[in-house]
Amino acid sequence: MAKYFDVHPENPQRRSIGQVVSILRDGGLIAYPTDSCFALGCLPGNREGVDRIKAIRHLDDRHHFTLVCHDFAQLGQLVYLSNTVFRAIKANTPGSYTFILPATKEVPRRLLNSKKKTVGVRIPDHVVAQAILAELGEPLLSSTLLLPGEEEPMTQGWEIKESLDHVVDAVIDSGECGTEPTTVIDFSNDDVEVVREGAGDLAPFV
């Protein structure tokens, strides 16, 4: 059964955040809130966790996973950025965007898009997600909590607990999340390609 953490949205309890991070470090898979919607997360090196995300969401090997970062310095270790792309991303993070970029050798090869050698990265503008990332000290491998056959992500922590009780190890609830996933911008060729319009405003990129 998944552990359920009712976390304050503005002042997350340090003890709860510490317990969540311990679960992640022990190979756990969590459902947690972000500035766009709930997401599934595990450590990037957690092979079983990645397989569990794929099974829950019915994903194939073409899926772009996202590495969720605490800050821009952490993001910059994972992907290659030209000066132009650097400025564009820096000006719009943290926020509800996922950026697809060429990955550095810091990223395990099995997490990359097999053809393009790219990975998604993002910095969430969400107090609880940031608290988890700060305590963890490394990126979190994530995927939107959108179940097969559903048009919108799940929004209620208790509902996630009921639905995924035996397939995740923890559910972190800090109140209702949005229903829109991130806006996805592909910068892998230095040009701007909007892959998905979502919660992030497109205006800075078009």
Side-chain angles (χ1 to χ4, degrees):
M1 289 181 61
K3 290 190 176 179
Y4 183 80
F5 296 91
D6 187 3
V7 178
H8 194 281
E10 295 174 8
N11 296 292
Q13 301 91 321
R14 290 188 66 182
R15 184 169 180 273
S16 295
I17 297 300
Q19 289 176 315
V20 170
V21 168
S22 292
I23 289 169
L24 286 166
R25 288 180 177 151
D26 286 342
L29 175 64
I30 67 169
Y32 72 103
T34 76
D35 50 343
S36 57
C37 52
F38 272 94
L40 296 166
C42 66
L43 293 187
N46 182 350
R47 287 176 178 267
E48 185 196 357
V50 175
D51 289 341
R52 287 163 72 188
I53 292 174
K54 286 181 176 179
I56 291 167
R57 292 206 51 206
H58 294 185
L59 301 174
D60 60 27
D61 290 336
R62 293 170 296 178
H63 178 72
H64 253 117
F65 281 104
T66 298
L67 291 168
V68 181
C69 303
H70 177 244
D71 55 26
F72 202 83
Q74 200 174 69
L75 182 150
Q77 294 175 353
L78 303 172
V79 290
Y80 294 107
L81 299 158
S82 69
N83 289 336
T84 304
V85 172
F86 174 94
R87 287 193 294 269
I89 294 178
K90 190 85 160 65
N92 291 282
T93 52
S96 301
Y97 298 98
T98 298
F99 301 101
I100 296 173
L101 288 154
T104 67
K105 292 180 180 178
E106 296 289 319
V107 182
R109 288 185 65 183
R110 60 196 168 75
L111 302 182
L112 306 182
N113 178 283
S114 57
K115 289 185 178 179
K116 298 173 69 178
K117 308 303 181 194
T118 52
V119 71
V121 287
R122 91 180 204 87
I123 303 171
D125 188 13
H126 191 280
V127 172
V128 174
Q130 281 287 351
I132 294 169
L133 291 163
E135 180 72 19
L136 186 61
E138 62 179 296
L140 198 55
L141 179 84
S142 275
S143 184
T144 303
L145 210 174
L146 181 63
L147 297 183
E150 298 293 327
E151 293 187 3
E152 291 190 342
M154 302 178 82
T155 61
Q156 304 281 354
W158 62 267
E159 185 181 32
I160 294 168
K161 171 84 162 88
E162 280 189 359
S163 297
L164 302 180
D165 204 21
H166 297 290
V167 290
V168 301
D169 300 296
V171 176
I172 297 89
D173 190 357
S174 63
E176 189 168 325
C177 269
T179 57
E180 272 196 296
T182 57
T183 291
V184 180
I185 308 288
D186 189 337
F187 274 124
S188 59
N189 296 312
D190 261 8
D191 294 324
V192 178
E193 181 188 346
V194 178
V195 177
R196 178 180 70 198
E197 186 174 355
D201 183 10
L202 276 181
F205 300 101
V206 295

